[in-house]
Amino acid sequence: MTAPRPPRLDAAAEEVAAAAAAAVDWTALAESARGCLACAELAATRTNVVVGDVPLVGRPLVALVGEAPGATEDQTGRPFVGRSGALLDELLAAAGLDRRQAAVLNVVKCRPPGNRTPRSAEVTRCSGWLRRQFELLDPPAVVALGLSAAKWFLGPRTELARAREAGPHPWEGRDLYVTYHPSAAIRFGPNGAPRAALAADLRRVADLVGAGERP
């Protein structure tokens, strides 16, 4: 299954797609993305464009994709470094997957004001960056963290629980896994079902990508 193509929206979306396609490597893409003005409200209220974290060398074992940056991410310019990020790091380590072996990305690269859910127009405009990131990084597996990320890959009618149970999904030549966002695991507590599911899913992905076989 391939990701649904976003609808034709406006010139801003097309400009983002063109700028992303022109980036010859990660450094060029990051520099271009940091100057993005496609979404006026997000550009006016952000502190940093959170392009993503990638391994220093080599192909990532997996790409972890969330919804959008939060307040801490906006301040630091890095994804998943707040409370959700701390839990994600903990569960990755428990699964035997070093975060440094993964690409950590978001569907939308700028923090929506008040941590609101990104609007569909914002997702569409930002999609060019994420698509080009996949082309440059070519991860063999992808984990969609939460419903918003899952919908980006599988379409707007996606239901998280069903998509998780049905996975992995074939997506553009790689395996796509759908699981809960770390924020849901925090919200339901350490003994809640989302945390247990997220931990189990990360262990499964780590085993399948052979994380324990690499230094």
Side-chain angles (χ1 to χ4, degrees):
M1 180 181 293
T2 59
R5 292 290 179 182
R8 184 179 180 86
L9 181 65
D10 55 23
E14 295 177 354
E15 289 173 4
V16 167
V24 297
D25 56 25
W26 180 266
T27 300
L29 183 142
E31 181 177 357
S32 185
R34 289 187 183 109
C36 184
L37 300 175
C39 300
E41 182 182 16
L42 302 191
T45 57
R46 75 186 181 215
T47 303
N48 287 291
V49 175
V50 183
V51 181
D53 283 352
V54 296
L56 292 177
V57 294
R59 181 189 188 196
L61 288 178
V62 60
L64 306 165
V65 183
E67 177 184 78
T72 306
E73 290 76 13
D74 178 58
Q75 289 295 321
T76 62
R78 293 190 57 215
F80 283 96
V81 292
R83 289 184 65 205
S84 292
L87 178 59
L88 179 62
D89 288 353
E90 177 186 336
L91 297 181
L92 285 172
L97 180 59
D98 190 332
R99 175 170 166 149
R100 293 172 296 181
Q101 297 174 302
V104 186
L105 312 168
N106 278 305
V107 170
V108 172
K109 311 302 184 190
C110 298
R111 180 197 181 202
N115 288 344
R116 63 165 170 75
T117 301
R119 298 181 178 124
S120 59
E122 294 163 348
V123 171
T124 300
R125 290 180 184 136
C126 212
S127 288
W129 300 123
L130 185 56
R131 286 189 169 278
R132 185 57 177 153
Q133 286 177 325
F134 279 115
E135 293 171 359
L136 292 171
L137 298 170
D138 191 27
V142 183
V143 178
L145 298 168
L147 182 59
S148 290
K151 286 182 175 180
W152 191 89
F153 291 100
L154 299 176
R157 296 184 179 179
T158 300
E159 297 179 12
L160 191 145
R162 289 186 179 180
R164 177 178 177 265
E165 292 172 359
H169 305 265
W171 185 80
E172 298 192 357
R174 51 184 60 89
D175 290 331
L176 169 68
Y177 300 83
V178 173
T179 190
Y180 291 92
H181 194 282
S183 63
I186 292 172
R187 186 164 62 253
F188 285 91
N191 298 317
R195 175 166 176 153
L198 175 58
D201 293 339
L202 292 177
R203 287 195 299 270
R204 180 185 182 198
V205 171
D207 289 343
L208 291 175
V209 300
E213 300 174 4
R214 297 196 179 189

